[in-house]
């Protein structure tokens, strides 16, 4: 047992080394069809582990029907639903195709995807552009306004941002995120600092490459008015950082956490691409006026990838303003979340540090052994969608990753290590 | 005595009410000559209380010679110095003309000035555009690079920003500053959040009004690369907020604190425009590589106006990252500064609050009675200039307002109140 413990520790140190030595850059925005060349026709990538139409929650179904109309695979939402029931669409997890998406996380070939490149390892990860707040597809919105916005992201903002990023040679994300942590962002429920810092790097290049003044002003307005714009950058940053830590023999470090609104799924380095799932939990949080927990859909989205790299709930100490927003207690106790999460991680970042905690590093590298042993579940900061299709966001809160995922993963991991 | 105490308390409550009810907006950038119509020829406005050439410190002299060349009043720096010695220039405090300026604070008719309008009271305050970091006139820089930059601020960025602000109808500063406090800015030594938030509001309007693409890109680059850009907005915001609190009979609240590098000066509401001065102190802080305290000029600039409205050292609790930058102790102890400053203020802001202190308000309205009584001097976060002309910034630190100002002010105030 002692030798196996040492083997696992060494493998985890290597997983942590790979995650912490990542150098993610936002380098481009490209048509999804260029990235997802081998995707079968009418495939819809979604957040979380694999799921069928039958088991999908309301907002996920709402988003599916919306994106089917956007892609021209259905004439209207009703037609899309009928087709979905007949099995006309193929559903696969974003994570299986190098992608991530917040909440419902719809990724299809007709969209534009932001590209994050990990320059230490050469791998890439992809995510659609954040739609803004209000009625949006990631929260299950699917009406004409929602689809029109995605069309503009595809034909307007996406190509313009791509050209600007190529002109700049990319934007380094690790230093930007480090700065964001000193400015109250934890990069899950709060991205106002990183969104602003990104815009100020992007704006001059946008001005240089833009050919249409009104379109440039629209792009600057859209990005500048969206405090969560950076979320969809932080997420592929997370995936680009964790992917190189996949499939290290003997490592019990979590490489992905995600939710499809029905199941929570995790992947562990030593067990490769295998999903370990359990029913998602209900976020505990704050609701927008007119809504209550009775309206809420359970936990959803690939966004928990940011907790996997030590941000979000793990870096709550950097973001006291988030604590109140998600109804998690007193702002002055933000550091407690970070200290608690440090109990279940292999290490912490030297580059992502929290001033108010005297520059303690973001807790990084969740060890499934520590999670099961301590009973401390990863804390995830999240938005809350209405449980019905087409409504949108109703609140924000904090949610725990379900214990079941980690227990199943530990059993499988132990089996692989030859331990009963 | 009891009645006088009540009179003073009531007058101070009114001063506090005026400061806190201010609604400052950044509305325009205009040629200084339009604002300073009555200024005698060859007048140079400077930071701090009144001072003669003979008593000016090195960096202030450096800036004076530089700005004289910029204005075309001297052929070169040497000529400017000779003329200054002969009394060719007239020196007056910025504060006497509705202006403020950081460090040396040179304001002359050939520059462009940003305009902050207090929409509650209709008054306006002015400040030149921040030059950026490195070798700049506010730290005593005066070579060709420094003057060229000021020329571009005058002919390029200034007019463009002015047009953008007019197109927008102005930018409300109070809510922007409130947001900055939740993002780690105290708006004296740290302005990265507010600078970024300002840019994201300004950028779309800049794009709409710009006629030259390269000039637009240059403007966006310049603002986006300057983490202290907002300092020169926060300062006239401070002056616009405190000016309506001037000359309230019986009020012992400080309406201005400023330094010229030789003297520290304060104004108190109940004693109107009278300056109370004492020798400036030396900041305690951190020096850039290659510099030590032996290189440092004592405290300088009108920027302490931000402490007068509860920001800077008074809101240190919002900006733990500043504590280390200025060498003032452990970041986790930032709140101690704010709590201590609350001991010498009449009240606190309801709108400017600090998340990490469970939304405690910025301590506002310094009462000279409390300062003298407690012996707690206002804490000011500041940059440090080299003591020789032409060198520039050598560090940053924290400095105390000198006790002498407050004692003199209290004596004069008491005299005015009929108390021995």
């Amino acid at each position: 047992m002692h030798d196996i413990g040492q083997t696992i520790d060494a493998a985890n140190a290597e997983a942590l080394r790979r995650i912490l030595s990542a150098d993610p850059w936002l380098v481009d925005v490209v048509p999804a069809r260029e990235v997802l060349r081998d995707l079968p026709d009418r495939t819809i990538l979604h957040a979380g582990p694999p799921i069928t139409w039958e088991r999908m929650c309301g907002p996920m179904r709402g988003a599916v029907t919306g994106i089917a109309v956007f892609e021209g695979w259905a004439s209207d939402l009703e037609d899309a639903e009928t087709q979905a029931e007949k099995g006309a669409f193929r559903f696969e997890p974003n994570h299986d195709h190098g992608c991530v998406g917040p909440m419902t996380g719809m990724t299809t070939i007709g969209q534009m995807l932001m590209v994050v490149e990990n320059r230490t390892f050469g791998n890439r990860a992809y995510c659609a552009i954040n739609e803004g707040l209000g009625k949006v597809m990631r929260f299950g919105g699917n009406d004409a306004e929602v689809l029109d916005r995605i069309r503009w992201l595809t034909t307007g903002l996406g190509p313009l941002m791509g050209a600007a990023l190529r002109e700049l040679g990319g934007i380094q994300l690790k230093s930007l995120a480090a700065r964001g942590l000193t400015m109250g962002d934890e990069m899950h429920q709060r991205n106002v600092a990183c969104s602003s810092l990104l815009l100020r790097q992007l704006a001059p290049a946008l001005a240089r490459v833009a050919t249409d003044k009104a379109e440039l002003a629209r792009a600057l307005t859209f990005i500048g008015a969206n405090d969560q714009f950076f979320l969809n950058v932080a997420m592929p940053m997370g995936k680009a950082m964790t992917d190189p830590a996949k499939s290290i023999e003997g490592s019990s470090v979590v490489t992905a956490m995600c939710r499809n609104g029905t199941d929570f799924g995790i992947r562990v380095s030593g067990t490769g691409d295998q999903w370990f799932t359990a029913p998602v939990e209900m976020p505990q949080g704050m609701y927008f006026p007119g809504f209550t927990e009775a309206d809420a859909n359970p936990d959803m989205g690939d966004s928990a990838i940011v907790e996997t790299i030590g941000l979000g709930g793990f870096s709550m100490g950097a973001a006291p303003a988030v604590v109140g927003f998600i109804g998690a207690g007193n702002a002055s106790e933000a550091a407690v979340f970070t200290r608690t999460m440090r109990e279940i991680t292999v290490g912490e970042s030297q580059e992502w540090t929290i001033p108010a905690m005297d520059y303690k590093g973001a807790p990084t590298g969740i060890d499934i052994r520590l999670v099961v042993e301590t009973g401390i579940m990863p804390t995830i900061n999240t938005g809350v969608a209405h449980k019905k299709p087409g409504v949108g966001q109703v609140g924000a809160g904090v949610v725990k990753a379900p214990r079941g995922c980690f227990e199943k993963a530990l059993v499988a991991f132990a089996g692989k290590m030859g331990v009963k």
Side-chain angles (χ1 to χ4, degrees), chain A:
Chain A
M1 275 306 285
H2 182 64
D3 278 4
I4 286 180
Q6 284 181 328
T7 302
I8 297 172
D9 288 346
N12 285 349
E14 172 61 11
L16 183 68
R17 186 194 70 76
R18 292 190 198 174
I19 295 172
L20 294 181
S21 65
D23 183 19
W25 289 63
L26 179 62
V27 294
D28 207 345
V29 184
V30 300
R33 67 181 76 250
E34 288 180 11
V35 172
L36 306 168
R37 287 179 199 283
D38 302 328
L39 212 60
D41 189 34
R42 303 201 171 202
T43 300
I44 295 170
L45 305 183
H46 58 79
I51 189 164
T52 58
W53 170 261
E54 289 69 32
R55 296 188 65 243
M56 275 182 197
C57 66
M60 180 78 85
R61 285 182 171 203
V64 161
T65 56
I67 205 71
V69 173
F70 167 80
E71 289 287 351
W73 299 334
S75 53
D76 57 28
L77 297 173
E78 206 179 339
D79 176 36
E81 196 171 338
T82 310
Q83 289 200 53
E85 279 163 5
K86 288 184 184 160
F89 310 125
R90 186 182 173 89
F91 299 110
E92 294 190 16
N94 281 316
H95 264 290
D96 286 351
H97 297 274
C99 299
V100 278
M103 299 304 289
T104 61
M106 299 288 102
T107 311
T108 50
I109 55 162
Q111 295 173 265
M112 292 290 283
L113 300 179
M114 295 189 291
V115 185
V116 173
E117 182 176 86
N118 182 341
R119 292 195 170 164
T120 307
F121 297 93
N123 59 300
R124 291 181 157 207
Y126 307 91
C127 187
I129 298 171
N130 191 285
E131 307 161 82
L133 303 177
K135 198 167 51 179
V136 288
M137 186 169 282
R138 71 176 184 280
F139 283 101
N142 56 15
D143 66 10
E145 181 192 333
V146 172
L147 301 190
D148 281 348
R149 192 188 301 112
I150 296 180
R151 273 182 207 108
W152 177 70
L153 296 179
T154 305
T155 59
L157 184 61
L160 185 59
M161 253 186 81
L165 285 166
R166 291 190 297 275
E167 199 253 12
L168 283 171
I171 291 176
Q172 192 175 32
L173 295 177
K174 206 171 195 177
S175 50
L176 195 153
R179 197 132 215 224
L181 282 176
T182 73
M183 295 169 71
D185 278 7
E186 36 70 271
M187 277 154 269
H188 197 160
Q189 275 310 297
R190 195 169 162 99
N191 280 284
V192 56
C194 288
S195 298
S196 303
L197 293 173
L198 184 72
L199 178 61
R200 83 182 188 160
Q201 284 198 53
L202 209 49
L206 288 170
R208 285 190 295 265
V209 302
T211 51
D212 182 272
K213 199 166 165 167
E215 193 69 3
L216 170 65
R218 185 176 177 187
L220 292 169
T221 303
F222 181 83
I223 301 175
N226 181 359
D227 290 348
Q228 283 290 74
F229 190 80
F230 191 79
L231 174 63
N232 291 37
V233 178
M235 289 175 56
M237 172 178 79
K239 181 154 178 68
M241 289 173 67
T242 51
D243 272 356
K246 275 168 64 168
S247 302
I248 298 170
E249 204 180 316
S251 170
S252 56
V253 163
V254 173
T255 55
M257 297 195 290
C258 58
R259 319 82 102 196
N260 56 35
T262 304
D263 301 319
F264 195 110
I266 68 168
R267 277 175 167 166
V268 177
S269 179
T271 53
D273 281 343
Q274 194 177 346
W275 288 110
F276 302 100
T277 65
V280 285
E281 302 201 355
M282 185 65 82
Q284 300 298 312
M286 302 281 277
Y287 290 89
F288 298 163
F291 296 104
T292 69
E293 191 173 328
D295 301 300
N297 198 76
D299 193 23
M300 183 165 59
D302 289 328
S303 53
I305 193 72
V306 306
E307 273 82 7
T308 318
I309 54 167
L311 302 175
F314 284 56
S315 283
M316 194 90 90
V322 167
V323 184
F325 179 66
I326 62 175
N330 293 330
S332 59
E333 288 158 20
V336 174
F337 290 89
T338 295
R339 277 191 217 105
T340 306
M341 290 304 104
R342 183 65 184 87
E343 303 280 312
I344 56 170
T345 65
V346 175
E348 58 194 58
S349 175
Q350 303 295 310
E351 293 169 280
W352 286 347
T353 61
I354 301 173
M357 297 178 73
D358 287 324
Y359 298 93
K360 191 165 176 56
T364 313
I366 302 165
D367 184 344
I368 56 167
R369 296 177 305 172
L370 295 173
V371 172
V372 174
E373 195 176 296
T374 61
I376 297 170
M377 296 301 125
T379 292
I380 296 162
N381 296 344
T382 188
V384 182
H386 198 287
K387 64 186 177 188
K388 288 186 188 156
V391 182
Q393 186 170 9
V394 296
V398 69
V399 70
K400 297 282 178 189
R403 190 180 173 95
C405 302
F406 297 90
E407 286 173 342
K408 285 183 195 170
L410 191 58
V411 168
F413 177 76
K416 234 189 147 191
M417 298 299 288
V419 182
K420 267 211 213 163

